[in-house]
Amino acid sequence: MAKTHNLGYPRIGKNRDLKRSLEAYWNNDIAEQTLNEQVQTLREQHYQTFTHLDFAQAGDFSLYDHVLDTSFLFGNAPARAKRENNNESYLDSYFRIARGRSSKRDCCPTHAGEMTKWFDTNYHYIVPEFSKTTTFKLYADTLLSEVKQLQARGLDVKPVVIGPLTYLYLGKSLDDTNKLDLIDSLLVAYKNLLHTLAENGVKWVQLDEPALVTELNADWLSAYQHAYDTLQNSGVKILLASYFGSLADNLKVVTKLPVDGVHIDATRAKHEVAILAKALNDSQVLSVGIIDGRNIWRTDFTEALTLLNPIAQLKQDKLWLAPSCSLLHCPVDLNAEQNIHPEILPWLAFAEQKLIELEILSKALHTSSQTDQDSVQAALAQNKRAIDQRKQSSLSTNKLVQRALTNIKNEWLHRSDDYATRIAQQQKSLKLPLYPTTTIGSFPQTSQIRKTRQAFIRKEITQQQYEDALKENIAYCIEQQEQVGLDVLVHGEAERNDMVEYFAGHLNGMLTTAYGWVQSYGSRCVKPPIIYGDVSRSNDITVAWTQYAQSLTQKPVKGMLTGPVTILNWSFVRDDQPRSLTTQQIALAVRGEVQALEAAGTGIIQIDEAALREGLPLKQSQWPEYLRWAVDAFKLCSSGVRRDTQIHTHMCYSQFNDILPDIQRMDADVITIETSRSNMKLLDAFNAFNYQNDIGPGVYDIHSPNVPEVESITNLITQAASKIPAQRLWINPDCGLKTRDWAEVRPALTNLVAAAKALRAQ
């Protein structure tokens, strides 16, 4: 029978238990011992998912981020993590790099590690830092402790560790160091780890190398051969795991590596499974990622078995089955959902259900007993009914939406005037000062806001009571912004649970879940909506709230929308039509909301495309096609306004060097970007490219509780002004303020405004 294993499992718990424990610790509500006890309880639930698998994975659980765990595993924690002459715990150093301070008791905040997206997912990781002085040393106590806990339960343990080349690939050099120059030093630590695991009874180790699905140059490919030549004969068997795409030109390199098994993502590299099966030798394991670890649709068993049956004949006892990647990217349990449309519910599978699917597929390949045959055949028949019903369902198709797509005209993708004409007209009407100040959109989602929303959902308060409470919060947000002295205000988004989920709840063809939480970073979780059909807009979504906020102030209030590409990339997307077509449908819906806001008198409209870059294909040769339709989608929703209506957009954690021409083609009047954690290094891209429009480089890291000083903000903007003319610079935080509290936000924004005034005075 094919062996079953998992590459990783959601860490957060069914009820976001990890989030609550972490935030209680950071707020000094619980001690470290209590945190460890609560985490151990959560780990016990985590371990229950291993009982039907042939291997139990260790090392996939993390208190914040598995890449940061790897940095600490190999002694690559930045020097600022540790306080001098302080016998503080590992956790204090760890959280200081994760978020800038370990907890409220931490007297001395520091610069948090840079955060960016994990390949093309919506998960954020803490970027490893390298320099010519970087050294590595193994600190394996945490991993070994988990291995021993699992072994004590009689489980066959397979530790999961990021592979050495992917670890280097993910990091950044703080000087001119070539990251590959560090490989030999790093391999010493890796080999030490493998020997240590072997001494503790471990037989297999999974080394994750998703960098192999990108387009690597000859130096990197050569480094792969060198690395795995070095790591062979370390006392354990190595499963090399690739995922998120096809190996393509790297496949030949992989088949030459001296590893004991290779995992391939069969949901995104289906055509390579048979090729790899034939290329591996008889002693090597082929692990087929047959269950989609990135989406929530039920696996088509008929299609999966058509692929697996000939592979099972070829590889026999050397075939393993697994999800395509870690299930970190999926919600935990579909059984918790009570309000999903009954026709749609059978189409779905969350993490727990995906592991059940894995078990069924394994049995379907090698059933022997009559009982197993009967149960497997029943499961296969049930699966076929669900797959067929989805294909035939009228819920997926809206002829009005499809007709609207055919009516799109090319001129809808272009503003009627160029940027210079527009910005002059906008300045006449807006009368903004030099270095205008604003925020990205959201303000703190207080516990009272969340309680009120839950009371409304449970029907404990009326619609009118709920709206009155939201208006009270909007009024408070406007008052605070007026007092601080911001130039362009926002309504604070108290009505929104999430920037994508909120819009999904008001669009046809999308549904939201009650408990479908997925980790974004640290304790931050989101509930990605599910796009199950053609998308359209029936009614205004944001107009009333924006109008109310504007009625409270003479200063301009931005209309706040989420862009079509971000809605796509931060949702579970239907897999029965091209992503470009789904995005175009969403763009038409957002275009309708943009025009409604303008008609209601809103002079500044922000359309956030925070996830534009993260949707880039992992192979750079495929970028042009994606950027063509992604930028066109933004232009479709943003271009149907007058010249005096100012369009803003916001992007998170984006390396802009390689896509600046496409960002220019978006033609937003103002773009705001994250630059604070990189200390404005991201703006180096603008040295080589003459970006024409206004830009607001984020000067306040909202993912850290630290309050920026006036001098720090002034220095950052001064750096920015050396690359962008001051007349085109805005001053703003690097992202929304939803996750912060008012005690942090007020002084931070006060300092931001003070910095702007100081710069104007100069």
Side-chain angles (χ1 to χ4, degrees):
M1 182 176 290
K3 290 187 180 295
T4 56
H5 70 113
N6 191 13
L7 276 66
Y9 198 74
R11 310 154 181 161
I12 57 176
K14 291 186 179 182
N15 298 303
R16 292 181 294 162
D17 313 79
L18 181 60
K19 170 188 175 67
R20 294 182 174 87
S21 295
L22 286 175
E23 293 179 356
Y25 176 75
W26 295 337
N27 290 329
N28 297 347
D29 296 332
I30 61 174
E32 182 174 332
Q33 181 179 346
T34 304
L35 172 65
N36 290 333
E37 291 169 354
Q38 293 178 356
V39 167
Q40 184 56 37
T41 300
L42 182 55
R43 283 182 185 273
E44 296 291 343
Q45 299 170 15
H46 196 74
Y47 297 158
Q48 291 303 312
T49 65
F50 305 157
T51 55
H52 297 296
L53 301 175
D54 291 293
F55 293 98
Q57 73 271 7
D60 62 317
F61 190 93
S62 176
L63 287 176
Y64 200 96
D65 165 50
H66 61 284
V67 182
L68 183 62
D69 293 351
T70 308
S71 292
F72 275 77
L73 173 64
F74 294 114
N76 187 33
R80 65 186 183 278
K82 193 74 175 175
R83 297 289 181 235
E84 292 184 9
N85 302 317
N86 190 342
N87 295 321
E88 63 188 2
S89 71
Y90 161 88
L91 282 185
D92 284 332
S93 298
Y94 180 83
F95 288 135
R96 195 169 288 122
I97 298 304
R99 53 193 299 272
R101 65 167 67 210
S102 59
S103 65
K104 285 187 176 179
R105 70 176 179 277
D106 190 346
C107 67
C108 308
T110 191
H111 187 60
E114 185 176 337
M115 189 186 293
T116 193
K117 296 299 177 68
W118 171 249
F119 292 89
D120 59 348
T121 75
N122 188 32
Y123 174 80
H124 306 61
Y125 73 91
I126 303 296
V127 178
E129 299 174 10
F130 305 121
S131 71
K132 61 184 179 182
T133 61
T134 296
T135 58
F136 301 100
K137 182 180 178 182
L138 180 64
Y139 293 92
D141 288 352
T142 301
L143 180 59
L144 287 176
S145 174
E146 186 177 0
V147 167
K148 291 174 181 177
Q149 287 181 37
L150 291 167
Q151 289 173 331
R153 291 164 172 77
L155 298 172
D156 197 349
V157 186
K158 171 178 61 67
V160 177
V161 182
I162 295 174
L165 272 302
T166 292
Y167 178 67
L168 290 177
Y169 178 90
L170 294 171
K172 66 174 182 178
S173 177
L174 302 179
D175 48 27
D176 295 329
T177 300
N178 181 342
K179 292 186 289 185
L180 288 179
D181 289 344
L182 302 172
I183 186 63
D184 286 327
S185 173
L186 181 60
L187 289 175
V188 171
Y190 266 85
K191 192 144 190 170
N192 191 5
L193 171 66
L194 298 182
H195 281 305
T196 301
L197 291 171
E199 290 168 358
N200 283 272
V202 171
K203 298 174 183 176
W204 280 90
V205 174
Q206 174 185 317
L207 294 183
D208 285 359
E209 291 284 9
L212 280 166
V213 304
T214 67
E215 291 169 333
L216 300 170
N217 63 32
D219 288 344
W220 280 87
L221 293 176
S222 177
Y224 265 100
Q225 189 67 55
H226 170 65
Y228 285 88
D229 283 345
T230 303
L231 294 179
Q232 66 178 319
N233 302 322
S234 297
V236 295
K237 294 182 178 181
I238 294 175
L239 177 70
L240 180 80
S242 70
Y243 42 82
F244 297 154
S246 65
L247 291 166
D249 293 341
N250 301 335
L251 192 147
K252 292 180 181 178
V253 174
V254 169
T255 59
K256 295 177 182 177
L257 298 179
V259 295
D260 303 280
V262 177
H263 172 86
I264 188 170
D265 184 340
T267 66
R268 285 167 174 76
K270 180 179 177 181
H271 60 289
E272 291 183 345
V273 176
I275 298 172
L276 188 59
K278 293 174 182 176
L280 295 178
N281 64 47
D282 292 342
S283 67
Q284 288 178 298
V285 162
L286 173 62
S287 171
V288 180
I290 195 66
I291 306 290
D292 193 346
R294 291 275 299 273
N295 215 330
I296 44 67
W297 303 110
R298 180 181 285 228
T299 303
D300 185 334
F301 286 169
T302 301
E303 184 178 305
L305 289 170
T306 300
L307 174 67
L308 289 174
N309 275 312
I311 305 299
Q313 294 296 318
L314 182 65
K315 294 300 294 182
Q316 297 183 11
D317 64 339
K318 297 299 181 182
L319 175 63
W320 292 9
L321 302 182
S324 60
C325 61
S326 171
L327 296 175
L328 167 71
H329 310 287
C330 289
V332 178
D333 184 12
L334 182 64
N335 291 326
E337 300 297 332
Q338 302 296 322
N339 297 316
I340 293 179
H341 193 292
E343 185 175 344
I344 297 174
L345 192 64
W347 305 349
L348 309 176
F350 291 178
E352 284 198 7
Q353 288 68 45
K354 288 178 183 294
L355 293 183
I356 294 171
E357 288 185 326
L358 194 65
E359 184 181 7
I360 293 170
L361 285 174
S362 178
K363 288 181 177 179
L365 285 175
H366 302 284
T367 52
S368 54
S369 71
Q370 186 62 48
T371 302
D372 277 353
Q373 287 180 356
D374 291 343
S375 64
V376 167
Q377 289 305 315
L380 296 180
Q382 182 188 50
N383 176 271
K384 188 176 187 305
R385 285 194 298 273
I387 298 298
D388 290 344
Q389 286 169 358
R390 183 186 171 203
K391 290 177 180 177
Q392 299 162 7
S393 175
S394 60
L395 294 176
S396 301
T397 305
N398 185 324
K399 292 183 179 179
L400 291 177
V401 175
Q402 296 177 359
R403 191 177 304 128
L405 293 180
T406 65
N407 294 329
I408 295 173
K409 299 177 176 61
N410 185 61
E411 55 263 32
W412 291 9
L413 305 182
H414 305 281
R415 297 289 294 269
S416 57
D417 300 279
D418 62 20
Y419 162 77
T421 303
R422 299 196 311 263
I423 204 70
Q425 187 67 37
Q426 293 160 14
Q427 189 56 27
K428 280 185 181 179
S429 57
L430 295 172
K431 298 180 174 60
L432 296 174
L434 188 67
Y435 298 115
T437 57
T438 189
T439 63
I440 303 305
S442 61
F443 271 94
Q445 286 265 319
T446 64
S447 58
Q448 185 57 52
I449 292 173
R450 294 193 294 271
K451 288 177 183 177
T452 303
R453 184 180 297 122
Q454 287 302 310
F456 176 64
I457 292 172
R458 292 192 296 264
K459 298 183 179 180
E460 296 170 358
I461 60 175
T462 65
Q463 174 88 22
Q464 188 61 53
Q465 288 173 315
Y466 180 55
E467 291 182 3
D468 288 346
L470 292 177
K471 287 183 176 179
E472 181 179 346
N473 188 273
I474 291 171
Y476 181 80
C477 283
I478 294 295
E479 178 185 18
Q480 295 303 307
Q481 293 172 87
E482 291 267 25
Q483 289 179 1
V484 166
L486 291 170
D487 300 307
V488 175
L489 314 188
V490 296
H491 77 288
E493 303 178 13
E495 79 284 4
R496 305 182 192 184
N497 44 8
D498 174 80
M499 65 181 290
V500 172
E501 186 181 5
Y502 176 74
F503 285 93
H506 291 80
L507 293 173
N508 306 313
M510 301 183 70
L511 65 84
T512 60
T513 64
Y515 302 100
W517 297 102
V518 175
Q519 184 182 23
S520 179
Y521 65 87
S523 67
R524 171 75 170 135
C525 303
V526 295
K527 287 188 291 167
I530 297 170
I531 305 177
Y532 64 85
D534 292 334
V535 178
S536 62
R537 166 186 172 274
S538 298
N539 301 294
D540 292 349
I541 303 172
T542 66
V543 175
W545 301 119
T546 307
Q547 281 186 303
Y548 176 72
Q550 188 63 78
S551 73
L552 302 175
T553 180
Q554 296 299 309
K555 292 185 174 181
V557 175
K558 289 190 286 189
M560 298 300 305
L561 305 176
T562 304
V565 180
T566 297
I567 291 177
L568 178 93
N569 285 332
W570 289 359
S571 298
F572 292 119
V573 182
R574 59 189 297 186
D575 56 0
D576 57 350
Q577 71 177 20
R579 293 168 68 87
S580 57
L581 184 60
T582 301
T583 309
Q584 196 175 41
Q585 294 176 356
I586 303 170
L588 275 181
V590 177
R591 179 183 175 92
E593 188 70 13
V594 169
Q595 293 175 335
L597 280 167
E598 183 184 62
T602 304
I604 303 178
I605 302 171
Q606 182 169 311
I607 308 168
D608 287 338
E609 282 295 18
L612 178 80
R613 196 186 195 285
E614 80 181 43
L616 281 171
L618 295 177
K619 293 177 175 59
Q620 194 163 352
S621 60
Q622 298 170 1
W623 286 12
E625 174 61 17
Y626 165 79
L627 288 167
R628 180 193 61 76
W629 60 256
V631 172
D632 280 355
F634 178 82
K635 295 178 72 174
L636 176 60
C637 67
S638 65
S639 296
V641 295
R642 300 185 304 268
R643 67 171 68 105
D644 60 340
T645 298
Q646 190 170 85
I647 296 293
H648 290 221
T649 191
H650 172 69
M651 294 183 181
C652 293
Y653 310 108
S654 294
Q655 300 292 334
F656 292 115
N657 309 49
D658 38 21
I659 62 168
L660 270 174
D662 300 283
I663 294 176
Q664 183 70 73
R665 194 166 69 85
M666 291 172 70
D667 200 24
D669 297 304
V670 183
I671 177 175
T672 53
I673 59 175
E674 183 278 329
T675 52
S676 61
R677 282 204 178 189
S678 69
N679 199 33
M680 292 288 163
K681 293 295 184 185
L682 287 176
L683 289 187
D684 289 346
F686 294 87
N687 288 331
F689 184 86
N690 184 23
Y691 186 75
Q692 296 294 314
N693 301 22
D694 282 20
I695 184 167
V699 296
Y700 163 24
D701 176 14
I702 67 88
H703 297 91
S704 169
N706 300 338
V707 174
E709 299 294 337
V710 174
E711 182 180 7
S712 169
I713 297 172
T714 304
N715 289 339
L716 288 173
I717 290 296
T718 300
Q719 289 182 52
S722 68
K723 301 174 176 66
I724 307 289
Q727 291 76 11
R728 292 197 278 115
L729 281 174
W730 288 60
I731 303 182
N732 45 260
D734 63 6
C735 205
L737 298 166
K738 173 183 176 180
T739 60
R740 303 267 55 91
D741 60 47
W742 281 105
E744 299 159 350
V745 166
R746 271 188 292 261
L749 293 182
T750 298
N751 290 351
L752 185 148
V753 171
K757 290 179 177 178
L759 287 163
R760 290 168 194 158
Q762 293 175 14

Short mmCIF file of all heavy atoms in Angstrom, two decimals, residues 14-45:
data_model
loop_
_atom_site.label_atom_id
_atom_site.label_comp_id
_atom_site.label_asym_id
_atom_site.label_seq_id
_atom_site.Cartn_x
_atom_site.Cartn_y
_atom_site.Cartn_z
N LYS A 14 -8.55 24.89 15.78
CA LYS A 14 -9.89 25.03 15.21
C LYS A 14 -10.55 26.36 15.58
O LYS A 14 -11.37 26.88 14.85
CB LYS A 14 -10.78 23.87 15.66
CG LYS A 14 -10.39 22.53 15.06
CD LYS A 14 -11.39 21.45 15.43
CE LYS A 14 -11.01 20.12 14.79
NZ LYS A 14 -12.00 19.05 15.08
N ASN A 15 -10.19 26.89 16.73
CA ASN A 15 -10.81 28.13 17.22
C ASN A 15 -9.79 29.25 17.38
O ASN A 15 -9.92 30.09 18.27
CB ASN A 15 -11.53 27.87 18.55
CG ASN A 15 -12.64 26.86 18.41
OD1 ASN A 15 -13.55 27.05 17.61
ND2 ASN A 15 -12.57 25.78 19.18
N ARG A 16 -8.77 29.23 16.56
CA ARG A 16 -7.68 30.22 16.64
C ARG A 16 -7.06 30.25 18.04
O ARG A 16 -6.74 31.30 18.58
CB ARG A 16 -8.19 31.61 16.23
CG ARG A 16 -8.56 31.75 14.78
CD ARG A 16 -9.02 33.14 14.46
NE ARG A 16 -10.26 33.44 15.14
CZ ARG A 16 -10.75 34.67 15.34
NH1 ARG A 16 -10.06 35.72 14.90
NH2 ARG A 16 -11.87 34.86 15.97
N ASP A 17 -6.89 29.07 18.60
CA ASP A 17 -6.36 28.96 19.96
C ASP A 17 -4.97 29.59 20.07
O ASP A 17 -4.63 30.21 21.08
CB ASP A 17 -6.29 27.49 20.38
CG ASP A 17 -7.58 26.73 20.06
OD1 ASP A 17 -7.77 26.36 18.89
OD2 ASP A 17 -8.37 26.53 20.99
N LEU A 18 -4.14 29.37 19.03
CA LEU A 18 -2.78 29.91 19.07
C LEU A 18 -2.80 31.44 19.12
O LEU A 18 -2.01 32.05 19.85
CB LEU A 18 -1.99 29.43 17.85
CG LEU A 18 -0.53 29.90 17.77
CD1 LEU A 18 0.26 29.42 18.98
CD2 LEU A 18 0.12 29.43 16.47
N LYS A 19 -3.68 32.04 18.35
CA LYS A 19 -3.80 33.50 18.34
C LYS A 19 -4.07 34.03 19.74
O LYS A 19 -3.41 34.97 20.21
CB LYS A 19 -4.94 33.92 17.40
CG LYS A 19 -5.32 35.39 17.47
CD LYS A 19 -6.59 35.64 16.65
CE LYS A 19 -7.06 37.08 16.80
NZ LYS A 19 -6.13 38.05 16.21
N ARG A 20 -5.03 33.43 20.41
CA ARG A 20 -5.42 33.92 21.74
C ARG A 20 -4.28 33.75 22.75
O ARG A 20 -4.05 34.62 23.59
CB ARG A 20 -6.69 33.22 22.20
CG ARG A 20 -7.90 33.57 21.33
CD ARG A 20 -9.18 32.90 21.82
NE ARG A 20 -10.32 33.37 21.06
CZ ARG A 20 -10.72 32.82 19.91
NH1 ARG A 20 -10.06 31.80 19.41
NH2 ARG A 20 -11.77 33.29 19.27
N SER A 21 -3.59 32.63 22.68
CA SER A 21 -2.50 32.40 23.62
C SER A 21 -1.36 33.37 23.38
O SER A 21 -0.80 33.95 24.33
CB SER A 21 -2.00 30.95 23.47
OG SER A 21 -3.00 30.04 23.85
N LEU A 22 -0.99 33.56 22.12
CA LEU A 22 0.12 34.47 21.81
C LEU A 22 -0.20 35.89 22.25
O LEU A 22 0.63 36.57 22.88
CB LEU A 22 0.40 34.45 20.31
CG LEU A 22 1.10 33.21 19.75
CD1 LEU A 22 1.20 33.30 18.23
CD2 LEU A 22 2.48 33.03 20.37
N GLU A 23 -1.38 36.37 21.93
CA GLU A 23 -1.71 37.75 22.25
C GLU A 23 -1.84 37.96 23.74
O GLU A 23 -1.51 39.04 24.26
CB GLU A 23 -2.97 38.16 21.49
CG GLU A 23 -2.72 38.22 19.97
CD GLU A 23 -3.93 38.60 19.15
OE1 GLU A 23 -5.03 38.75 19.74
OE2 GLU A 23 -3.79 38.73 17.92
N ALA A 24 -2.29 36.94 24.46
CA ALA A 24 -2.32 37.04 25.93
C ALA A 24 -0.91 37.14 26.49
O ALA A 24 -0.64 37.91 27.42
CB ALA A 24 -3.04 35.83 26.52
N TYR A 25 0.01 36.38 25.91
CA TYR A 25 1.41 36.45 26.36
C TYR A 25 2.02 37.81 26.03
O TYR A 25 2.68 38.43 26.88
CB TYR A 25 2.21 35.33 25.69
CG TYR A 25 3.69 35.37 26.01
CD1 TYR A 25 4.16 34.96 27.26
CD2 TYR A 25 4.60 35.84 25.08
CE1 TYR A 25 5.52 35.00 27.56
CE2 TYR A 25 5.96 35.88 25.37
CZ TYR A 25 6.41 35.47 26.61
OH TYR A 25 7.75 35.52 26.90
N TRP A 26 1.81 38.30 24.82
CA TRP A 26 2.36 39.60 24.43
C TRP A 26 1.81 40.73 25.30
O TRP A 26 2.49 41.72 25.56
CB TRP A 26 2.05 39.88 22.96
CG TRP A 26 2.73 38.92 22.02
CD1 TRP A 26 3.85 38.18 22.25
CD2 TRP A 26 2.31 38.58 20.69
NE1 TRP A 26 4.16 37.41 21.17
CE2 TRP A 26 3.24 37.63 20.19
CE3 TRP A 26 1.25 38.98 19.89
CZ2 TRP A 26 3.12 37.09 18.90
CZ3 TRP A 26 1.13 38.44 18.61
CH2 TRP A 26 2.06 37.51 18.13
N ASN A 27 0.55 40.57 25.75
CA ASN A 27 -0.08 41.60 26.58
C ASN A 27 0.20 41.42 28.07
O ASN A 27 -0.37 42.14 28.90
CB ASN A 27 -1.60 41.60 26.35
CG ASN A 27 -1.97 42.11 24.98
OD1 ASN A 27 -1.28 42.96 24.42
ND2 ASN A 27 -3.06 41.60 24.42
N ASN A 28 1.06 40.47 28.41
CA ASN A 28 1.41 40.17 29.81
C ASN A 28 0.23 39.64 30.62
O ASN A 28 0.22 39.73 31.85
CB ASN A 28 1.97 41.42 30.52
CG ASN A 28 3.26 41.90 29.90
OD1 ASN A 28 3.87 41.21 29.10
ND2 ASN A 28 3.66 43.11 30.26
N ASP A 29 -0.76 39.06 29.95
CA ASP A 29 -1.89 38.48 30.66
C ASP A 29 -1.59 37.07 31.16
O ASP A 29 -2.26 36.58 32.07
CB ASP A 29 -3.13 38.45 29.76
CG ASP A 29 -3.59 39.85 29.38
OD1 ASP A 29 -3.36 40.78 30.17
OD2 ASP A 29 -4.17 40.01 28.28
N ILE A 30 -0.63 36.41 30.51
CA ILE A 30 -0.21 35.08 30.96
C ILE A 30 1.32 35.03 30.97
O ILE A 30 1.98 35.78 30.25
CB ILE A 30 -0.76 33.94 30.07
CG1 ILE A 30 -0.26 34.09 28.63
CG2 ILE A 30 -2.28 33.89 30.12
CD1 ILE A 30 -0.65 32.91 27.73
N ALA A 31 1.86 34.14 31.78
CA ALA A 31 3.30 33.96 31.87
C ALA A 31 3.77 32.98 30.80
O ALA A 31 2.97 32.28 30.18
CB ALA A 31 3.68 33.47 33.26
N GLU A 32 5.08 32.91 30.65
CA GLU A 32 5.64 32.01 29.63
C GLU A 32 5.26 30.56 29.90
O GLU A 32 4.96 29.80 28.97
CB GLU A 32 7.16 32.16 29.58
CG GLU A 32 7.81 31.29 28.52
CD GLU A 32 9.29 31.54 28.39
OE1 GLU A 32 9.75 32.67 28.68
OE2 GLU A 32 10.01 30.61 27.97
N GLN A 33 5.25 30.15 31.16
CA GLN A 33 4.90 28.77 31.49
C GLN A 33 3.47 28.45 31.05
O GLN A 33 3.21 27.38 30.49
CB GLN A 33 5.04 28.52 32.99
CG GLN A 33 4.70 27.09 33.40
CD GLN A 33 4.88 26.83 34.88
OE1 GLN A 33 5.49 27.63 35.60
NE2 GLN A 33 4.34 25.73 35.38
N THR A 34 2.56 29.41 31.27
CA THR A 34 1.17 29.20 30.86
C THR A 34 1.06 29.13 29.34
O THR A 34 0.33 28.30 28.79
CB THR A 34 0.28 30.34 31.39
OG1 THR A 34 0.42 30.42 32.80
CG2 THR A 34 -1.18 30.10 31.03
N LEU A 35 1.81 30.00 28.65
CA LEU A 35 1.82 29.94 27.19
C LEU A 35 2.28 28.56 26.73
O LEU A 35 1.65 27.94 25.85
CB LEU A 35 2.74 31.02 26.62
CG LEU A 35 3.00 30.94 25.11
CD1 LEU A 35 1.72 31.18 24.32
CD2 LEU A 35 4.08 31.95 24.70
N ASN A 36 3.36 28.06 27.32
CA ASN A 36 3.88 26.76 26.91
C ASN A 36 2.86 25.65 27.17
O ASN A 36 2.72 24.72 26.36
CB ASN A 36 5.18 26.45 27.65
CG ASN A 36 6.33 27.33 27.17
OD1 ASN A 36 6.34 27.78 26.03
ND2 ASN A 36 7.29 27.58 28.05
N GLU A 37 2.14 25.75 28.27
CA GLU A 37 1.12 24.74 28.59
C GLU A 37 -0.02 24.79 27.57
O GLU A 37 -0.50 23.74 27.10
CB GLU A 37 0.58 24.96 30.00
CG GLU A 37 1.60 24.65 31.09
CD GLU A 37 1.14 25.12 32.46
OE1 GLU A 37 0.08 25.79 32.54
OE2 GLU A 37 1.83 24.83 33.46
N GLN A 38 -0.45 25.99 27.23
CA GLN A 38 -1.54 26.12 26.26
C GLN A 38 -1.11 25.65 24.88
O GLN A 38 -1.89 25.01 24.15
CB GLN A 38 -2.02 27.57 26.22
CG GLN A 38 -2.70 28.02 27.49
CD GLN A 38 -3.13 29.49 27.44
OE1 GLN A 38 -2.86 30.20 26.48
NE2 GLN A 38 -3.79 29.94 28.50
N VAL A 39 0.13 25.96 24.52
CA VAL A 39 0.65 25.52 23.22
C VAL A 39 0.76 24.00 23.18
O VAL A 39 0.47 23.37 22.16
CB VAL A 39 2.01 26.19 22.94
CG1 VAL A 39 2.72 25.51 21.77
CG2 VAL A 39 1.82 27.67 22.64
N GLN A 40 1.16 23.39 24.30
CA GLN A 40 1.26 21.93 24.33
C GLN A 40 -0.11 21.29 24.14
O GLN A 40 -0.24 20.27 23.45
CB GLN A 40 1.89 21.47 25.64
CG GLN A 40 2.13 19.97 25.72
CD GLN A 40 3.00 19.46 24.58
OE1 GLN A 40 3.94 20.12 24.15
NE2 GLN A 40 2.68 18.27 24.07
N THR A 41 -1.14 21.87 24.72
CA THR A 41 -2.50 21.37 24.52
C THR A 41 -2.88 21.44 23.04
O THR A 41 -3.48 20.51 22.50
CB THR A 41 -3.50 22.18 25.36
OG1 THR A 41 -3.17 22.05 26.74
CG2 THR A 41 -4.92 21.69 25.14
N LEU A 42 -2.51 22.54 22.41
CA LEU A 42 -2.79 22.70 20.98
C LEU A 42 -2.00 21.69 20.16
O LEU A 42 -2.51 21.12 19.19
CB LEU A 42 -2.46 24.13 20.55
CG LEU A 42 -2.75 24.51 19.10
CD1 LEU A 42 -4.20 24.24 18.74
CD2 LEU A 42 -2.41 25.98 18.86
N ARG A 43 -0.75 21.45 20.54
CA ARG A 43 0.06 20.45 19.84
C ARG A 43 -0.58 19.07 19.94
O ARG A 43 -0.55 18.28 18.98
CB ARG A 43 1.47 20.40 20.45
CG ARG A 43 2.39 21.53 20.05
CD ARG A 43 3.74 21.29 20.69
NE ARG A 43 4.68 22.37 20.49
CZ ARG A 43 5.49 22.49 19.44
NH1 ARG A 43 5.45 21.59 18.48
NH2 ARG A 43 6.33 23.50 19.35
N GLU A 44 -1.17 18.77 21.09
CA GLU A 44 -1.82 17.46 21.25
C GLU A 44 -2.94 17.30 20.23
O GLU A 44 -3.12 16.22 19.65
CB GLU A 44 -2.37 17.32 22.68
CG GLU A 44 -1.32 17.32 23.78
CD GLU A 44 -0.45 16.07 23.77
OE1 GLU A 44 -0.86 15.07 23.14
OE2 GLU A 44 0.64 16.10 24.38
N GLN A 45 -3.71 18.37 20.01
CA GLN A 45 -4.76 18.32 18.98
C GLN A 45 -4.13 18.15 17.60
O GLN A 45 -4.64 17.41 16.75
CB GLN A 45 -5.59 19.60 19.02
CG GLN A 45 -6.30 19.84 20.33
CD GLN A 45 -6.92 21.23 20.41
OE1 GLN A 45 -7.06 21.92 19.39
NE2 GLN A 45 -7.27 21.66 21.61
#
